[in-house]
Amino acid sequence: MSTTAIDPAHDHSHDHDAHDHHPHGWRRWLYATNHKDIGTLYLWFSLVMFMSGGVLALMIRAELFHPGLQLFQPEFFNQLTTMHGIIMVFGAIMPAFVGFANWMIPLQIGAADMAFARMNNFSFWLLPPAAILLAASFLVPGGAPAGGWTLYAPLSTQMGPGMDMAIFALHIMGASSIMGSINIITTVLNMRAPGMTLMKMPMFCWTWLITAYLLIAVMPVLAGAITMTLTDRHFGTSFFNAAGGGDPVMFQHIFWFFGHPEVYIMILPAFGIVSQIIPAFARKPLFGYASMVYATSSIAILSFIVWAHHMFTTGMPVTGQLFFMYATMLIAVPTGVKVFNWIATMWKGSMTFETPMLFAIGFIFVFTMGGFTGLILAVTPIDIQMQDTYYVVAHFHYVLVAGSLFALFAGFYYWGPKWTGFMYNETRGKIHFWNSLIWFNVTFFPMHFLGLAGMPRRYADYPAQFTDFNMLVSIGALGFGLSQVYFLFAVVLPSIRGGQKAPAKPWDGAEGLEWTVPSPAPFHTFEVPPTVK
């Protein structure tokens, strides 16, 4: 593609403006092939799923507010914990990051759109039917799946038709993820603007490129595990049925070979978002860009050799325990490089603390705490004590809520003006941040102590000595949930409807091609690719 000047007589870029050819009404969304519209669809879908998963979480915490069975039978309680996990992981966090990728990657690399526009449409429209199928599992005999979001055999081989519905829903969501990933890889590798080498790409594009490879590698593994579960349930196979010579622990190996890279699939794009925001508000270039790229790649590669640290209590030989313990600790090195680089970027920068920066700093602080508890759980003898207690629940919520979710909020506040054309209300953004941060810690910090004291997770009842901390956790969960309702009604909806007009570049320290187009970003951008100096 040439970047030389174009003769105005032959310039077709204004033809699109002359007849506004994108469809209107429902057709615009159903037939969407524009990366911005599809990104918007993903973001709305993930917001709906996030709120749904949040309702289930509040039901869990309502039951646990006090010892004794208050509201639900234990069977239904297990359905709540299982569905909360599946909905948050596959319905809220992952589609939200794909929405960010769809919106931002073409803008950041100077591409006109994603590589495969119709496949992009298809990969989104697979999600709503999958979500409906998943939610409808509550309505069938036996109710929703209740084996935990990990769907461990033999629990998953014994449940009612709700388990089959969940398996099919996960298959459909997995197909969507794989198509989205193929699209992202092709777009990033083939459609960058002239002059944008890989090592000049924004960090967000790098983290998503690596994440997309991870998704293509591990989604078929999950598909294999749940298909074997399906054939065990209905076709007389014995993959995981010990009575037929199968091995339920094999399910754990297969699941976690998917599940551990999946954890990094949910955090690497968050690293990318934070790596965009901190330089913008520190008004300095990112410290150690190349080391960030290498660290991201290292995390992705190492994520494949640590899966059995989820399985220290399954009777693993000591050699295996040692290997997985050391391999897990090794991941702390590239992660530490990232945290060091973010802090070094802020060091002596002329920082301002708008909401995106607050969420980015909040992310570093709380994600680092989650990383440390992960390092503690990597130590086999400690993990054997902590296995399946609330300590583990605290650990992964520090990584996934304060990690993935806070980064998503930061990204919304940072790029939202580019999407909507309006500035959000700064005061309300800060109210959302401080409420989220405080209530998050009130919710999940006491869980460390509950876990250390031996309270197991996924139990609908508990001895009286755990009452005080559980009441505190439930109150915190309500506060955190209400903060997100506030976010929806006081921040998101008003910033879509109107407000202060956003300039093309609302943040004076921001760098990148996305800030060279007007706000809101026009329906078609970069029809003539820009040249990157």
Side-chain angles (χ1 to χ4, degrees):
M1 286 182 278
S2 162
T3 55
T4 49
I6 296 173
D7 174 7
H10 300 288
D11 180 10
H12 298 292
S13 60
H14 60 270
D15 296 0
H16 293 285
D17 309 327
H19 12 79
D20 190 17
H21 68 288
H22 65 261
H24 289 283
W26 59 270
R27 281 188 182 81
R28 172 178 177 182
W29 301 105
L30 186 62
Y31 302 145
T33 51
N34 182 285
H35 71 98
K36 302 178 183 74
D37 284 355
I38 293 171
T40 304
L41 286 168
Y42 268 108
L43 291 167
W44 277 115
F45 173 81
S46 70
L47 190 62
V48 169
M49 295 299 276
F50 173 59
M51 292 300 181
S52 317
V55 169
L56 300 184
L58 289 177
M59 291 164 78
I60 293 168
R61 287 317 316 174
E63 175 58 60
L64 292 173
F65 184 72
H66 213 267
L69 291 178
Q70 267 74 235
L71 304 168
F72 312 121
Q73 288 302 312
E75 294 80 8
F76 183 69
F77 181 85
N78 288 346
Q79 295 173 32
L80 290 178
T81 53
T82 303
M83 292 292 282
H84 164 71
I86 294 175
I87 286 171
M88 286 305 202
V89 170
F90 295 102
I93 300 287
M94 289 172 69
F97 280 131
V98 180
F100 272 83
N102 266 299
W103 247 106
M104 297 317 303
I105 288 176
L107 287 180
Q108 289 193 325
I109 64 174
D113 207 304
M114 297 293 277
F116 305 115
R118 284 199 170 84
M119 184 164 85
N120 208 8
N121 171 290
F122 188 44
S123 68
F124 171 75
W125 282 110
L126 284 173
L127 290 177
I132 292 164
L133 191 60
L134 195 57
S137 66
F138 274 118
L139 309 174
V140 297
W149 82 278
T150 52
L151 307 177
Y152 274 2
L155 290 170
S156 54
T157 55
Q158 294 167 0
M159 281 168 185
M163 179 60 70
D164 301 319
M165 296 167 78
I167 287 172
F168 283 124
L170 287 175
H171 269 305
I172 298 167
M173 287 173 164
S176 162
S177 290
I178 289 172
M179 284 194 283
S181 301
I182 291 170
N183 218 340
I184 287 166
I185 291 172
T186 313
T187 306
V188 169
L189 293 184
N190 291 336
M191 298 177 68
R192 300 192 305 283
M196 181 175 282
T197 59
L198 280 174
M199 292 308 275
K200 284 184 189 166
M201 270 199 320
M203 250 343 272
F204 180 67
C205 298
W206 258 117
T207 53
W208 243 117
L209 177 65
I210 292 165
T211 302
Y213 277 113
L214 278 180
L215 273 165
I216 290 175
V218 302
M219 287 317 286
V221 178
L222 174 68
I226 57 181
T227 305
M228 286 145 90
T229 306
L230 197 68
T231 60
D232 272 12
R233 288 168 56 80
H234 298 292
F235 301 112
T237 57
S238 294
F239 291 110
F240 310 128
N241 178 5
D247 182 6
V249 175
M250 181 170 77
F251 179 89
Q252 298 190 27
H253 277 292
I254 301 170
F255 179 87
W256 284 115
F257 189 80
F258 147 80
H260 205 81
E262 165 68 18
V263 177
Y264 295 101
I265 286 164
M266 289 187 284
I267 200 68
L268 290 181
F271 290 164
I273 292 173
V274 170
S275 302
Q276 301 290 137
I277 292 172
I278 285 183
F281 293 94
R283 290 160 183 79
K284 278 173 63 188
L286 181 67
F287 180 90
Y289 172 88
S291 65
M292 285 295 241
V293 172
Y294 297 136
T296 309
S297 314
S298 315
I299 290 173
I301 293 161
L302 289 171
S303 74
F304 282 100
I305 60 162
V306 297
W307 77 89
H309 67 210
H310 298 267
M311 301 170 54
F312 283 144
T313 53
T314 55
M316 192 187 299
V318 173
T319 319
Q321 292 182 341
L322 284 171
F323 171 80
F324 286 106
M325 178 165 94
Y326 293 139
T328 304
M329 289 178 173
L330 201 57
I331 284 200
V333 177
T335 313
V337 167
K338 287 181 164 300
V339 174
F340 174 82
N341 284 10
W342 291 324
I343 293 169
T345 306
M346 292 189 278
W347 180 253
K348 294 193 172 173
S350 52
M351 290 205 286
T352 50
F353 297 99
E354 290 87 345
T355 313
M357 185 61 159
L358 287 177
F359 267 109
I361 295 172
F363 165 91
I364 295 174
F365 171 63
V366 198
F367 171 79
T368 304
M369 287 171 61
F372 273 124
T373 54
L375 206 52
I376 290 164
L377 288 169
V379 183
T380 309
I382 299 178
D383 183 81
I384 287 170
Q385 295 297 312
M386 295 297 115
Q387 164 79 5
D388 266 334
T389 66
Y390 267 76
Y391 192 90
V392 178
V393 180
H395 156 68
F396 68 72
H397 282 88
Y398 264 81
V399 178
L400 282 180
V401 181
S404 304
L405 189 64
F406 277 22
L408 286 164
F409 287 146
F412 168 80
Y413 286 108
Y414 183 60
W415 283 311
K418 182 58 66 188
W419 303 342
T420 62
F422 299 109
M423 296 301 290
Y424 62 90
N425 181 308
E426 190 64 59
T427 310
R428 291 176 183 178
K430 288 188 165 137
I431 291 171
H432 173 226
F433 167 73
W434 286 110
N435 269 297
S436 294
L437 185 72
I438 291 165
W439 289 117
F440 168 80
N441 281 294
V442 170
T443 307
F444 293 105
F445 199 73
M447 285 187 185
H448 293 103
F449 301 113
L450 285 169
L452 286 165
M455 180 170 164
R457 64 177 176 166
R458 296 180 186 157
Y459 274 44
D461 196 6
Y462 53 86
Q465 73 255 32
F466 298 134
T467 308
D468 293 351
F469 272 167
N470 269 301
M471 291 172 83
L472 185 62
V473 169
S474 291
I475 292 165
L478 182 64
F480 188 77
L482 292 174
S483 308
Q484 309 326 314
V485 175
Y486 176 83
F487 169 67
L488 176 61
F489 288 105
V491 180
V492 178
L493 295 176
S495 71
I496 291 169
R497 280 202 291 267
Q500 184 195 338
K501 283 281 194 201
K505 186 173 164 183
W507 320 113
D508 56 351
E511 296 289 334
L513 292 175
E514 70 261 42
W515 308 111
T516 61
V517 300
S519 300
F523 194 69
H524 292 288
T525 42
F526 300 128
E527 286 176 352
V528 177
T531 303
V532 178
K533 293 289 186 288

